Amino acid sequence: MNTEYNPSELLICLASRVMEDGNTAFIGTGIPMLAASLAQNMHAPNLIAVFEFGGTGAILEKLPLAVGDTRTFNKALHASGICDIMESAQRGFIEYGFLGGAQIDAYGNLNSTAIGDVLKPKVRLPGSGGGNDVGSCCWRTIAIMKHDKRRFMEKIDFITTPGFISGPGAREAAGLPPNTGPYRVVTNLCVFDFDEKTKRMRLISLNPGVTIKDVKENTGFEILVADNVEQNAPPTEEELTILREKVDPDGLYR
Amino acid sequence: MNTEYNPSELLICLASRVMEDGNTAFIGTGIPMLAASLAQNMHAPNLIAVFEFGGTGAILEKLPLAVGDTRTFNKALHASGICDIMESAQRGFIEYGFLGGAQIDAYGNLNSTAIGDVLKPKVRLPGSGGGNDVGSCCWRTIAIMKHDKRRFMEKIDFITTPGFISGPGAREAAGLPPNTGPYRVVTNLCVFDFDEKTKRMRLISLNPGVTIKDVKENTGFEILVADNVEQNAPPTEEELTILREKVDPDGLYR
Amino acid sequence: MENKCIPILYEGEGSIIQPADLNAFRELNRKKNKKLESKLMTEEEAVDRFVKSGDYIGFELYGTVRSPMNMVRALIRSGKTDFRLAGQGVHEADLLLGANLIREIDFTYIGLEVFGVSGNVRRRVESGDVHNVVEWSNAALTWRFKAAAMGIPFMATKCMLGSDTLKRSAAKVIECPFTGEKLALVPALILDVGFIHVNRADKYGNCQIDGISGFAFEMGRACKKLIISAEEIIETDEIREAPDRTIIPYYLVDAVVHAPYASWPGEMSNSHEKDVDHYNFYLSKQKTQEGMDEYLKEWVYDVPNHQALLKKIGHDKLESLKL
Amino acid sequence: MENKCIPILYEGEGSIIQPADLNAFRELNRKKNKKLESKLMTEEEAVDRFVKSGDYIGFELYGTVRSPMNMVRALIRSGKTDFRLAGQGVHEADLLLGANLIREIDFTYIGLEVFGVSGNVRRRVESGDVHNVVEWSNAALTWRFKAAAMGIPFMATKCMLGSDTLKRSAAKVIECPFTGEKLALVPALILDVGFIHVNRADKYGNCQIDGISGFAFEMGRACKKLIISAEEIIETDEIREAPDRTIIPYYLVDAVVHAPYASWPGEMSNSHEKDVDHYNFYLSKQKTQEGMDEYLKEWVYDVPNHQALLKKIGHDKLESLKL
């Protein structure tokens, strides 16, 4: 068994570890799907995966390739539609939501709409999709990001999906449901949570071989650092085996 | 074949004749069910019967006894729920709606809520049910009523279901969809339509053996009378045969 | 920006018997157990654990069809009282009113279908035992559930406009900010406890309903506590084989009660017919309070549970009702 | 009564590309043919009869799954243009943008899923060929269909609050007249023409979908004209045997096109897999306009119809994709 791993495999394992057995997670395309499948095969056999277009409680035997493919409702407990899923989220039923984006700021706001002025964009991006809904309605959102200065910015060009917006109280003032918001940011360098008082991103753990300095140099805003920054364990042999042999045997993410 | 008929049989035949082939009708409990089934067996094989709790396009081989019984979706084209049906009506899909009530006024407003003051009722009635929705959203409503002065009143105690409310323009002023409202009132004595100008009930045809005087004596408000009052044909032998042998073989309505 | 607003043109005079707090509902939904754990229990245990006096309750059904009468009978026997009711009902509401357990009603329809006005409704409402009645249409009441199920505080509709039903409701009429048309807004309604009888469920509460589904989808998502009774209990594998047949997923459910013939004397689609003889007997008894009291004593209070009831009805009778 | 009103706290700066006239929609729904008459026709006939340049159009699908690509290709070949689009899409929107047929978009997501940003989206939006873009979330767009399907002019939601998505939408933020909380109101959206691919339909347009149903229920009820394409045509008797499986009833439908492999190169639940080879080929071509033009010429313009396309793909390839 080759215990070397690539950045995607690390991200998948880190995201997987956040997922809780017997709880609900809103799963988007890509890394969250692999993470959910890995979690079901590891510590969270009863992770309830919820997919945007209607699948709830599937057994992820084969890796879904899109949020609406047949595998998202494989042996599922419920196959409905996007309204049922989004309304369940709005009603408070979905604990974790996974998000991505082209840009993120210190408050966990995400941009997946446009680089530059949205009315005359330099780069037109794919848009919110369900991202805004996940960020608005799920209890705890986890952003999975590639870590560099062009992505971790002091001021992003467009808030597609609200994080803590401008800081403490801003979500509530905007009318978003109380006690919701960004929970973790998982990157190829580290994991952040959010400071209770300022609602800004705070470094809590480092990936193997990464230093606080590395993180700072690759982040376009000032980061908070937890008192005890922990070390993220590298993917275990068990994780890698399951990931490569069971979750992604075709090696789409290698 | 006994060609004598009772008042219910006459009402059923009159209501049946209003139903159009290849059009939609919102069917309530009782006489409308028999009328719809008779119509499907006579002139309207493709009458699309719509039942409040979700049945659309059933073949009424056996008489439904309630708006939610299995027969309301017997070989139906669609079995959904009350929201789908009511929303289809609100969206304009249902042409005819059948209504009943304890009291009706000259504008076709119906009371099925309370006799006397609703806050201290002399008689508490069963309430709107879907009646208000049918009267609000279907294009043309047909009330089926027993005809006497305590039911046909100048002023009813409570408008459960709006007819033309207080006259021309009143439905539109209240915000109800344009071009909707009462179409016919079918009674054991006669059939009314509504005068284009005043929106008041107008006698257009008399049941066999009934005179205009009879109608006036049994109506608690001044009625308009069409220039040519027609005679309603009595139930035909064919109608009675189908009604008794096929639609209601158990004689529930005899 | 300039000071814009949407005119409120009219407000119904009825009270909001059960105001919806959507943020509290979110917190409650968050805490609901998402684990796959058996919720099988008896009617008595479900009532004991999840219902308390004064609760706002509701039953999903159509007339006497698919009605969780087993739960109604257990509720009456429990001694709990002073309920507030989402009033779209027939026989089940009639029993509760007959037993004088209801104080307030969001009233859309409580009657006896083709048999007309109910003696129990008349006695309880006319006497003031039910001290607060607010009127709605069937669609309006269901859309109130639907709003709650969607996690929003109201739904707009054209229904009820121009009627006294509107006047005695708690709806508000506004001018649409997009089209200028008049609309009634009806507030979300969240039940303290909802009761639904289904064709089949697994032990976790994943439910299937055959044919039409009334307002099960909406009401099932608008309850703080949801008690499911099921004609049949099936394996979860069967649920997983046809997940598009699940109408209520397990995580909404607090109790699963296995109860064949739960709707008796009413009918159950694809399962059994109405017991016309018994229903006619009931119709004759409910005319007077004395008759009703006798009926309740013999058929509810003196029958300890649903199994005993089925025994009392008798095997031959039950067999004869089968579809 | 006193002068009450609901404050409008904020209005999005985006325009309403397709304002909903619900009374006109009612009239149109009233006139829709309710008779059971065959609506079977080809893609070309459906486009010819029911689509015109400038129409506001929309496709129901999930990613590349269950996508009516047959209709998209027929649309491109028809020469009709200047469409306005409900923008929840992947490959189908990409082809339309590649062919430069779109002028305005209610944009929620147009991309290539895991493959990211689409070259066609970038070229058309950044150049201004698409001259008006209004932003929404997926839920907001679907709830706009749902409002239209319900016959009401708006839906309330907590989504989009606090974001620039809201700012560039046409939603309005109000203070709830029941709870005081902030809500975004999103306006009903009625398509001129909607396109939905289903697992099976009868010739009248009664449709079944297996498993998840995306937004077919809502969008199917929010179209002035609805074109159904079906993997399989079945007898109406089969529909009548399981009416609870009907998701779109015939009376909503204007055309029924029989088209196996309609979603190719995308996948169809319970039927066939994605053609990964072809999709990768497509991904490489869409990077440049030249590549895209070549792709469109070879795989759309030069292929007269869906049957010819299936022949061009080849029997062996199609067989290999079967589930």
Side-chain angles (χ1 to χ4, degrees), chain D residues 267-279:
Chain D
E267 60 270 48
M268 180 70 186
S269 294
N270 281 1
S271 185
H272 65 85
E273 288 274 14
K274 184 188 254 185
D275 185 342
V276 175
D277 296 338
H278 187 89
Y279 197 64

Side-chain angles (χ1 to χ4, degrees), chain C residues 64-120:
Chain C
T64 58
V65 188
R66 207 162 59 66
S67 177
M69 294 303 301
N70 58 328
M71 295 310 311
V72 174
R73 289 181 281 253
L75 210 54
I76 294 173
R77 280 192 297 268
S78 75
K80 300 184 187 195
T81 186
D82 297 337
F83 297 116
R84 297 164 298 140
L85 181 71
Q88 206 293 305
V90 174
H91 189 36
E92 90 296 350
D94 218 46
L95 281 195
L96 291 167
L97 286 163
N100 200 11
L101 305 186
I102 306 293
R103 297 294 158 255
E104 300 185 74
I105 305 180
D106 278 310
F107 209 115
T108 164
Y109 177 91
I110 305 181
L112 300 168
E113 301 187 290
V114 282
F115 307 102
V117 186
S118 142
N120 290 308

Side-chain angles (χ1 to χ4, degrees), chain D residues 182-220:
Chain D
K182 285 182 188 167
L183 294 164
L185 303 187
V186 299
L189 176 54
I190 301 168
L191 298 173
D192 289 324
V193 193
F195 301 87
I196 303 181
H197 185 60
V198 300
N199 292 83
R200 60 197 75 81
D202 70 5
K203 63 185 173 189
Y204 309 126
N206 292 296
C207 301
Q208 298 181 346
I209 292 174
D210 295 346
I212 58 171
S213 53
F215 47 105
F217 185 95
E218 292 77 19
M219 202 186 95

Side-chain angles (χ1 to χ4, degrees), chain B residues 1-4 236-242 244-245:
Chain B
M1 175 76 203
N2 180 2
T3 56
E4 280 179 53
T236 65
E237 194 173 327
E238 192 189 359
E239 283 173 327
L240 287 174
T241 306
I242 291 173
R244 291 170 186 172
E245 293 176 10

Side-chain angles (χ1 to χ4, degrees), chain B residues 56 69 74 102-104 115 138 149 158 162 178 189 204 209 215 222:
Chain B
T56 298
D69 95 20
N74 174 62
Q103 300 177 337
I104 192 167
I115 308 290
C138 291
K149 269 197 161 156
F158 190 93
L189 297 184
I204 56 166
V215 173
E222 195 135 345

Side-chain angles (χ1 to χ4, degrees), chain A residues 169-222:
Chain A
R171 280 180 75 89
E172 292 73 10
L176 290 167
N179 305 320
T180 56
Y183 173 65
R184 292 286 185 274
V185 180
V186 176
T187 87
N188 48 307
L189 298 183
C190 64
V191 175
F192 295 100
D193 72 357
F194 289 82
D195 178 53
E196 197 54 50
K197 227 175 86 186
T198 61
K199 300 293 185 190
R200 284 178 69 99
M201 234 179 255
R202 184 177 74 154
L203 178 66
I204 55 167
S205 60
L206 291 164
N207 292 349
V210 178
T211 64
I212 296 183
K213 186 161 169 276
D214 293 335
V215 174
K216 288 190 169 170
E217 281 177 5
N218 284 283
T219 305
F221 51 83
E222 195 134 346

Side-chain angles (χ1 to χ4, degrees), chain A residues 150-164:
Chain A
R150 289 176 313 123
R151 290 168 181 272
F152 283 70
M153 301 169 74
E154 183 61 42
K155 188 168 164 32
I156 61 178
D157 294 341
F158 190 93
I159 300 182
T160 308
T161 298
F164 289 113

